[in-house]
Amino acid sequence: IFFEVVDRTDRRVLHIPATSTAELPQFDAATLWRAIESAAEQAGMGVYVSHIDAVPPRLLYLNARAEEILGRPRGELIGGLPWVMFREQDRPIIRGLIERPPGAPPATSVLIVERPDGGQVPVEMASTRVLTEHGTLSFGYFRDITVEREAVAALRRSEARFRRLVESAPDGVVILKRGMIVFTNPRAALLLGV
């Protein structure tokens, strides 16, 4: 079974081998690719394929969700360098992922996408390599982690407000975890002689 990916720069069709076992039902490559793409879309993930041993490396494929996250049309990016959509200080990370030695394990990074409208989108990106007869491809996904980052920031703000409230309370406050004192406010420390 092979996935076919069209290199939009020179129109070559790249065949990406897929592994299977005799016990599994056989599907054609187009059906499998649609299933992978559909799963990624439903999970809100952008999918990409880059030809990483081309000189220079270049993007071969982006799905519709990737286009939404990046804020750019796919046609503008396909055939271009795989790091152009990331902020300048993150580009060496992408280059480092590309330059990893063959056989390196899959990698995950958190990077910032720079959108044409000036917005920045934090993404988690994971990649793995696939060896094909036409060269080494990087196949992976990225997802917008803006909501997660906002939730973590809100939690930190809430914890800071709670800490200020408890530390300035006129009453003694002691917090226990599993029978161990893990926090005392200044008033509790005074009352307990600590």
Side-chain angles (χ1 to χ4, degrees):
I1 298 174
F2 290 90
F3 297 109
E4 289 186 0
V5 178
V6 177
D7 183 332
R8 298 215 173 137
T9 303
D10 61 8
R11 300 288 183 215
R12 284 189 307 162
V13 176
L14 303 176
H15 298 277
I16 305 171
T19 59
S20 66
T21 65
E23 299 84 40
L24 297 176
Q26 299 296 306
F27 296 98
D28 63 279
T31 300
L32 288 173
W33 183 254
R34 281 193 305 274
I36 291 169
E37 192 172 46
S38 176
E41 293 281 345
Q42 290 177 23
M45 295 180 184
V47 174
Y48 73 90
V49 178
S50 294
H51 190 188
I52 60 175
D53 56 3
V55 179
R58 59 182 179 245
L59 281 168
L60 301 177
Y61 173 81
L62 292 167
N63 70 350
R65 181 63 180 134
E67 187 176 54
E68 292 170 16
I69 293 169
L70 300 174
R72 299 175 189 206
R74 287 179 268 190
E76 181 183 307
L77 296 167
I78 292 175
L81 299 171
W83 52 76
V84 296
M85 71 284 290
F86 296 101
R87 63 184 179 171
E88 191 66 38
Q89 61 262 42
D90 287 346
R91 293 178 182 179
I93 296 169
I94 300 297
R95 288 187 195 105
L97 290 170
I98 289 171
E99 294 166 359
R100 290 180 307 143
T108 303
S109 301
V110 174
L111 306 163
I112 304 294
V113 167
E114 287 188 328
R115 297 173 57 116
D117 63 8
Q120 294 191 338
V121 180
V123 296
E124 176 186 69
M125 185 181 93
S127 66
T128 192
R129 292 170 179 224
V130 178
L131 298 176
T132 71
E133 62 189 56
H134 298 288
T136 305
L137 303 180
S138 174
F139 176 84
Y141 77 89
F142 52 95
R143 64 187 186 91
D144 182 341
I145 58 171
T146 302
V147 172
E148 290 173 34
R149 283 202 167 175
E150 289 170 354
V152 167
L155 178 61
R156 285 188 185 129
R157 287 190 304 273
S158 175
E159 288 171 344
R161 280 192 306 272
F162 175 76
R163 185 173 197 90
R164 280 192 306 273
L165 175 70
V166 169
E167 287 180 348
S168 63
D171 298 321
V173 177
V174 176
I175 298 176
L176 302 170
K177 273 192 182 173
R178 296 189 179 116
M180 301 287 295
I181 296 174
V182 294
F183 174 83
T184 60
N185 73 347
R187 180 68 177 153
L190 181 67
L191 291 171
L192 296 172
V194 178

